Amino acid sequence: MRLQLAHIEPFARGGNRLCYVHPDNPDCCVKVRRPDFTLADCRRKKGFPRNLRPLSSFDDNREEAAVIKALQKSRGETIHHHIYRCDGFVETDLGPGLMTELVRDADGRISVSLKQDLWERGYPAATRRAVEVLADFWLEHLVPSREVLTHNIVVQRGAHDEIRRLVVIDGLGSPYVFPFAWLPKTVRRHKVSQRVRRLHKRIRQFVRRCDSGHEPSRVGMLQHRGVENDQSRSATTTTQTSVAKD
Ligand SMILES: Nc1ncnc2c1ncn2[C@@H]1O[C@H](COP(=O)(O)OP(=O)(O)OP(=O)(O)O)[C@@H](O)[C@H]1O
Ligand SMILES: [Mg+2]
């Protein structure tokens, strides 16, 4: 039976996808393509030569499911400490939905993105350490990814507000027209180190901008936190259509 999502408020809206809590499973996230930004729109937005690729190659859900499956096969279950679990597709009234682990804090609320966390709490030593751990993991496993962006990482917190883990929930796959694994290992290592360096730089710049009073875009800010009577429901409920990257 098709899952009915259209009548539910998504908990987040990215540039490409809408994210819902599965109506029958509070620990499962269902991601569908944004109806107002189709695969054809996505392809049109890309410049030459990427716009020559087939439509299916712009499908984030499809690529993410395949990459995570391949990583799990080659590196084992440990990858799920920092990369969320994907559990295949379900038919929904908004098209095919990718079912994934829904990352929640110990208090049951959906974990916020690193971007939202940095905006709300700054960049204390504990967060810096957690970013280092994620960076080491990326390098150790030479994870195939596009740029690692703060709104594509979520910060899972434990019962004492400590950071349990950073989990990447988007941006996996090859940034090239061919699979990342086809590159020689030394080149892959170089590329991954560059991405990690740029992640650190992006965080420093973002924190500096926040410190100087610049309010970030709503991209990567939750619309709600998946629990009833959530006190933290805030201005983040505004509809966001911007795809600006901080
Ligand atoms: N499984 C998850 N658990 C917790 N939060 C999530 C999960 N998946 C997505 N999110 C939240 O939803 C937001 C949007 O999701 P996602 O990045 O998958 O959308 P997108 O459209 O692919 O993003 P982009 O604009 O980067 O292309 C994320 O920034 C994150 O805050
Ligand atoms: Mg994203």
Side-chain angles (χ1 to χ4, degrees):
M1 212 180 75
R2 279 197 333 174
L3 211 57
Q4 303 297 307
L5 297 177
H7 66 289
I8 305 175
E9 187 193 356
F11 69 86
R13 181 189 299 262
N16 296 291
R17 299 182 286 188
L18 298 177
C19 306
Y20 292 88
V21 179
H22 191 299
D24 305 322
N25 180 358
D27 295 317
C28 176
C29 163
V30 184
K31 295 191 179 189
V32 295
R33 185 87 217 152
R34 264 174 55 172
D36 58 335
F37 191 60
T38 62
L39 290 180
D41 295 332
C42 186
R43 180 163 68 180
R44 252 192 306 277
K45 227 184 115 191
K46 302 282 175 197
F48 181 81
R50 289 192 73 196
N51 58 5
L52 296 180
R53 287 163 43 180
L55 259 197
S56 60
S57 73
F58 295 90
D59 185 344
D60 285 355
N61 272 351
R62 211 184 58 113
E63 184 177 22
E64 206 162 272
V67 169
I68 293 176
K69 196 168 161 199
L71 274 171
Q72 194 184 326
K73 202 165 161 208
S74 62
R75 323 284 213 285
E77 285 291 308
T78 52
I79 63 144
H80 294 304
H81 195 65
H82 292 294
I83 296 173
Y84 70 175
R85 187 178 293 283
C86 275
D87 298 314
F89 286 86
V90 61
E91 263 319 305
T92 83
D93 55 353
L94 298 175
L98 177 64
M99 292 186 292
T100 78
E101 167 193 3
L102 177 53
V103 184
R104 290 183 184 264
D105 293 347
D107 64 9
R109 295 188 303 164
I110 296 171
S111 303
V112 300
S113 67
L114 177 60
K115 175 182 169 182
Q116 185 167 347
D117 194 89
L118 292 168
W119 165 240
E120 291 174 353
R121 299 171 182 248
Y123 199 29
T127 315
R128 256 178 263 153
R129 277 196 300 275
V131 169
E132 283 300 340
V133 171
L134 177 69
D136 289 348
F137 171 88
W138 231 240
L139 283 164
E140 182 190 338
H141 293 283
L142 298 181
V143 178
S145 74
R146 295 182 279 277
E147 291 300 328
V148 187
L149 303 174
T150 55
H151 63 264
N152 288 334
I153 302 170
V154 299
V155 182
Q156 187 182 46
R157 291 192 177 265
H160 305 288
D161 210 35
E162 79 285 8
I163 297 181
R164 270 193 191 158
R165 61 202 254 261
L166 297 189
V167 189
V168 174
I169 52 78
D170 183 20
L172 295 159
S174 176
Y176 313 111
V177 285
F178 51 85
F180 190 63
W182 287 8
L183 290 168
K185 197 165 184 182
T186 45
V187 179
R188 276 186 282 152
R189 194 171 288 129
H190 176 67
K191 298 282 180 201
V192 175
S193 323
Q194 282 184 324
R195 294 204 202 307
V196 164
R197 258 201 312 279
R198 286 198 287 263
L199 169 65
H200 288 302
K201 186 171 170 204
R202 211 171 285 119
I203 292 175
R204 282 195 304 274
Q205 287 174 339
F206 180 73
V207 171
R208 260 202 308 276
R209 277 212 310 278
C210 292
D211 285 347
S212 65
H214 173 99
E215 190 169 337
S217 72
R218 305 249 58 97
V219 173
M221 305 287 192
L222 293 183
Q223 309 213 149
H224 67 78
R225 296 198 59 184
V227 288
E228 282 178 21
N229 306 320
D230 180 16
Q231 300 302 314
S232 70
R233 271 180 84 95
S234 63
T236 57
T237 51
T238 47
T239 301
Q240 109 208 357
T241 47
S242 155
V243 291
K245 306 291 182 217
D246 292 288

PDB file of all heavy atoms in Angstrom, residues 12-23:
ATOM      1  N   ALA A  12      11.820  18.469   7.558  1.00  0.00           N
ATOM      2  CA  ALA A  12      12.863  19.287   6.928  1.00  0.00           C
ATOM      3  C   ALA A  12      12.652  19.310   5.423  1.00  0.00           C
ATOM      4  O   ALA A  12      12.037  18.407   4.845  1.00  0.00           O
ATOM      5  CB  ALA A  12      14.251  18.745   7.247  1.00  0.00           C
ATOM      6  N   ARG A  13      13.197  20.340   4.830  1.00  0.00           N
ATOM      7  CA  ARG A  13      13.083  20.543   3.387  1.00  0.00           C
ATOM      8  C   ARG A  13      14.455  20.955   2.899  1.00  0.00           C
ATOM      9  O   ARG A  13      14.980  21.996   3.309  1.00  0.00           O
ATOM     10  CB  ARG A  13      12.078  21.678   3.186  1.00  0.00           C
ATOM     11  CG  ARG A  13      11.751  22.070   1.774  1.00  0.00           C
ATOM     12  CD  ARG A  13      10.909  23.339   1.798  1.00  0.00           C
ATOM     13  NE  ARG A  13       9.644  23.146   2.499  1.00  0.00           N
ATOM     14  CZ  ARG A  13       8.488  22.898   1.875  1.00  0.00           C
ATOM     15  NH1 ARG A  13       8.417  22.881   0.576  1.00  0.00           N
ATOM     16  NH2 ARG A  13       7.392  22.726   2.567  1.00  0.00           N
ATOM     17  N   GLY A  14      15.089  20.115   2.071  1.00  0.00           N
ATOM     18  CA  GLY A  14      16.381  20.486   1.518  1.00  0.00           C
ATOM     19  C   GLY A  14      16.190  21.125   0.160  1.00  0.00           C
ATOM     20  O   GLY A  14      15.053  21.413  -0.260  1.00  0.00           O
ATOM     21  N   GLY A  15      17.274  21.329  -0.567  1.00  0.00           N
ATOM     22  CA  GLY A  15      17.179  21.897  -1.899  1.00  0.00           C
ATOM     23  C   GLY A  15      16.504  20.926  -2.857  1.00  0.00           C
ATOM     24  O   GLY A  15      15.883  21.335  -3.845  1.00  0.00           O
ATOM     25  N   ASN A  16      16.634  19.628  -2.574  1.00  0.00           N
ATOM     26  CA  ASN A  16      16.136  18.601  -3.490  1.00  0.00           C
ATOM     27  C   ASN A  16      15.029  17.721  -2.923  1.00  0.00           C
ATOM     28  O   ASN A  16      14.229  17.189  -3.663  1.00  0.00           O
ATOM     29  CB  ASN A  16      17.295  17.673  -3.894  1.00  0.00           C
ATOM     30  CG  ASN A  16      18.345  18.422  -4.676  1.00  0.00           C
ATOM     31  OD1 ASN A  16      18.108  18.817  -5.802  1.00  0.00           O
ATOM     32  ND2 ASN A  16      19.506  18.649  -4.065  1.00  0.00           N
ATOM     33  N   ARG A  17      15.057  17.540  -1.600  1.00  0.00           N
ATOM     34  CA  ARG A  17      14.155  16.529  -1.030  1.00  0.00           C
ATOM     35  C   ARG A  17      13.349  17.065   0.148  1.00  0.00           C
ATOM     36  O   ARG A  17      13.768  18.001   0.829  1.00  0.00           O
ATOM     37  CB  ARG A  17      14.984  15.324  -0.553  1.00  0.00           C
ATOM     38  CG  ARG A  17      15.748  14.665  -1.685  1.00  0.00           C
ATOM     39  CD  ARG A  17      16.523  13.466  -1.226  1.00  0.00           C
ATOM     40  NE  ARG A  17      17.718  13.786  -0.463  1.00  0.00           N
ATOM     41  CZ  ARG A  17      18.621  12.884  -0.094  1.00  0.00           C
ATOM     42  NH1 ARG A  17      18.429  11.616  -0.402  1.00  0.00           N
ATOM     43  NH2 ARG A  17      19.685  13.247   0.589  1.00  0.00           N
ATOM     44  N   LEU A  18      12.189  16.395   0.370  1.00  0.00           N
ATOM     45  CA  LEU A  18      11.402  16.653   1.575  1.00  0.00           C
ATOM     46  C   LEU A  18      11.628  15.466   2.502  1.00  0.00           C
ATOM     47  O   LEU A  18      11.675  14.316   2.046  1.00  0.00           O
ATOM     48  CB  LEU A  18       9.912  16.731   1.231  1.00  0.00           C
ATOM     49  CG  LEU A  18       9.471  17.836   0.278  1.00  0.00           C
ATOM     50  CD1 LEU A  18       7.968  17.707   0.002  1.00  0.00           C
ATOM     51  CD2 LEU A  18       9.788  19.199   0.875  1.00  0.00           C
ATOM     52  N   CYS A  19      11.760  15.736   3.802  1.00  0.00           N
ATOM     53  CA  CYS A  19      12.029  14.667   4.768  1.00  0.00           C
ATOM     54  C   CYS A  19      10.862  14.538   5.738  1.00  0.00           C
ATOM     55  O   CYS A  19      10.470  15.519   6.369  1.00  0.00           O
ATOM     56  CB  CYS A  19      13.300  14.968   5.561  1.00  0.00           C
ATOM     57  SG  CYS A  19      14.726  15.292   4.526  1.00  0.00           S
ATOM     58  N   TYR A  20      10.329  13.315   5.833  1.00  0.00           N
ATOM     59  CA  TYR A  20       9.173  13.041   6.692  1.00  0.00           C
ATOM     60  C   TYR A  20       9.521  12.003   7.743  1.00  0.00           C
ATOM     61  O   TYR A  20      10.360  11.122   7.504  1.00  0.00           O
ATOM     62  CB  TYR A  20       8.027  12.451   5.856  1.00  0.00           C
ATOM     63  CG  TYR A  20       7.417  13.426   4.887  1.00  0.00           C
ATOM     64  CD1 TYR A  20       7.939  13.574   3.598  1.00  0.00           C
ATOM     65  CD2 TYR A  20       6.320  14.201   5.250  1.00  0.00           C
ATOM     66  CE1 TYR A  20       7.371  14.476   2.697  1.00  0.00           C
ATOM     67  CE2 TYR A  20       5.754  15.107   4.352  1.00  0.00           C
ATOM     68  CZ  TYR A  20       6.285  15.234   3.091  1.00  0.00           C
ATOM     69  OH  TYR A  20       5.732  16.129   2.217  1.00  0.00           O
ATOM     70  N   VAL A  21       8.824  12.075   8.883  1.00  0.00           N
ATOM     71  CA  VAL A  21       8.865  10.964   9.828  1.00  0.00           C
ATOM     72  C   VAL A  21       7.897   9.920   9.273  1.00  0.00           C
ATOM     73  O   VAL A  21       6.756  10.252   8.912  1.00  0.00           O
ATOM     74  CB  VAL A  21       8.395  11.412  11.238  1.00  0.00           C
ATOM     75  CG1 VAL A  21       8.428  10.221  12.200  1.00  0.00           C
ATOM     76  CG2 VAL A  21       9.263  12.559  11.764  1.00  0.00           C
ATOM     77  N   HIS A  22       8.349   8.664   9.179  1.00  0.00           N
ATOM     78  CA  HIS A  22       7.475   7.589   8.677  1.00  0.00           C
ATOM     79  C   HIS A  22       6.247   7.508   9.585  1.00  0.00           C
ATOM     80  O   HIS A  22       6.393   7.422  10.812  1.00  0.00           O
ATOM     81  CB  HIS A  22       8.255   6.267   8.712  1.00  0.00           C
ATOM     82  CG  HIS A  22       7.571   5.144   7.994  1.00  0.00           C
ATOM     83  ND1 HIS A  22       6.328   4.673   8.362  1.00  0.00           N
ATOM     84  CD2 HIS A  22       7.963   4.404   6.935  1.00  0.00           C
ATOM     85  CE1 HIS A  22       5.990   3.684   7.556  1.00  0.00           C
ATOM     86  NE2 HIS A  22       6.958   3.498   6.667  1.00  0.00           N
ATOM     87  N   PRO A  23       5.029   7.542   8.991  1.00  0.00           N
ATOM     88  CA  PRO A  23       3.822   7.564   9.819  1.00  0.00           C
ATOM     89  C   PRO A  23       3.698   6.360  10.757  1.00  0.00           C
ATOM     90  O   PRO A  23       3.054   6.460  11.800  1.00  0.00           O
ATOM     91  CB  PRO A  23       2.673   7.558   8.805  1.00  0.00           C
ATOM     92  CG  PRO A  23       3.288   7.860   7.478  1.00  0.00           C
ATOM     93  CD  PRO A  23       4.751   7.606   7.547  1.00  0.00           C
TER      94      PRO A  23
END
